[in-house]
């Protein structure tokens, strides 16, 4: 065989190999494109599957609501009169501005809230005047409603306190 026929036969072999590799590669990509959506189809999982997974996680780990203005709402709607409010009801009470139902124990339980940071919020208007006394009044209200609902809430000041109360089955309250 002469040198030119050896080169052309090598070129043919390389070209055929490239075609085979290209076809195999194309088939591999096509297979992946078909199989992956069939195997992993988010629409094949129902909303209930995701909800069940989320609930299973929240049974093991406390969901922490990092900001709740209930103390401010109690001051605004009820002048801090805890006798006028029932947090065990879905409609906690009738305040100055109508029905009050933003935060209540049934909703906290339904939402599986494991810990709650209650906010002591003095208004900007009280700055340089009586902001400290407003904050202390709200902290007092927080402690009073935690005491009122001690069957459901526990006052804690540390992350370990949250875990301890969570493991005991209480909703935690942090100021």
């Amino acid at each position: 065989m002469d040198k030119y026929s050896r080169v052309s036969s090598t070129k043919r072999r390389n070209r055929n190999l490239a075609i085979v590799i290209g076809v195999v590669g194309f088939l591999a990509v096509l297979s992946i494109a078909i199989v992956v959506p069939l195997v992993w189809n988010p629409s094949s999982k129902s909303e209930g599957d995701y909800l069940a997974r989320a609930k299973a996680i929240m049974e093991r780990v406390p969901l922490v609501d990092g900001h709740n203005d209930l103390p401010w709402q109690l001051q605004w709607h009820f002048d801090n009169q805890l006798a006028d409010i029932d947090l065990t009801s879905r409609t906690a009470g009738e305040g100055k501005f109508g029905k009050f139902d933003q935060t209540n124990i049934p909703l906290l339980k339904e939402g599986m809230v494991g810990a709650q940071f209650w906010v002591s919020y003095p208004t900007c208007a009280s700055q340089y005047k009586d902001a400290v006394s407003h904050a202390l009044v709200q902290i007092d209200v927080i402690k009073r409603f935690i005491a009122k609902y001690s069957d459901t809430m526990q006052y804690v000041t540390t992350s370990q306190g949250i875990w301890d109360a969570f493991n005991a089955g209480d909703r935690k309250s942090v100021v």
Side-chain angles (χ1 to χ4, degrees):
M1 212 186 240
D2 68 352
K3 143 175 152 180
Y4 294 110
S5 62
R6 261 192 323 231
V7 171
S8 69
S9 121
T10 304
K11 282 184 182 180
R12 258 191 314 243
R13 195 175 318 123
N14 287 345
R15 187 183 69 209
N16 289 343
L17 184 60
I19 291 172
V20 168
I21 290 173
V23 168
V24 168
F26 173 76
L27 291 175
V29 170
L30 182 63
S31 298
I32 290 170
I34 291 171
V35 171
V36 167
L38 292 175
V39 172
W40 184 76
N41 185 356
S43 64
S44 69
K45 293 190 185 253
S46 71
E47 184 177 309
D49 293 337
Y50 292 113
L51 183 60
R53 285 177 55 201
K55 284 183 177 182
I57 291 169
M58 290 188 290
E59 286 173 359
R60 294 187 318 265
V61 179
L63 171 65
V64 179
D65 181 347
H67 183 102
N68 192 313
D69 287 323
L70 179 64
W72 170 250
Q73 297 296 326
L74 293 175
Q75 180 179 346
W76 185 253
H77 289 278
F78 299 98
D79 297 319
N80 292 329
Q81 299 302 309
L82 296 184
D84 296 342
I85 188 167
D86 178 13
L87 291 180
T88 62
S89 169
R90 282 221 181 251
T91 303
E94 193 75 33
K96 293 186 221 175
F97 306 103
K99 286 186 179 166
F100 180 79
D101 60 359
Q102 294 179 6
T103 297
N104 56 62
I105 292 169
L107 284 176
L108 292 172
K109 285 182 177 182
E110 184 180 315
M112 299 181 76
V113 174
Q116 181 68 72
F117 280 90
W118 303 108
V119 177
S120 173
Y121 172 75
T123 64
C124 293
S126 67
Q127 186 177 10
Y128 304 118
K129 298 175 193 166
D130 53 0
V132 172
S133 65
H134 279 284
L136 291 174
V137 166
Q138 287 193 357
I139 291 170
D140 176 65
V141 168
I142 292 166
K143 288 183 175 184
R144 287 191 298 129
F145 76 70
I146 290 171
K148 181 178 178 179
Y149 301 103
S150 62
D151 59 323
T152 311
M153 297 182 191
Q154 180 181 339
Y155 182 77
V156 298
T157 57
T158 65
S159 60
Q160 185 60 52
I162 291 173
W163 278 108
D164 293 344
F166 180 78
N167 291 329
D170 289 336
R171 302 285 178 263
K172 282 54 63 196
S173 298
V174 183
V175 181

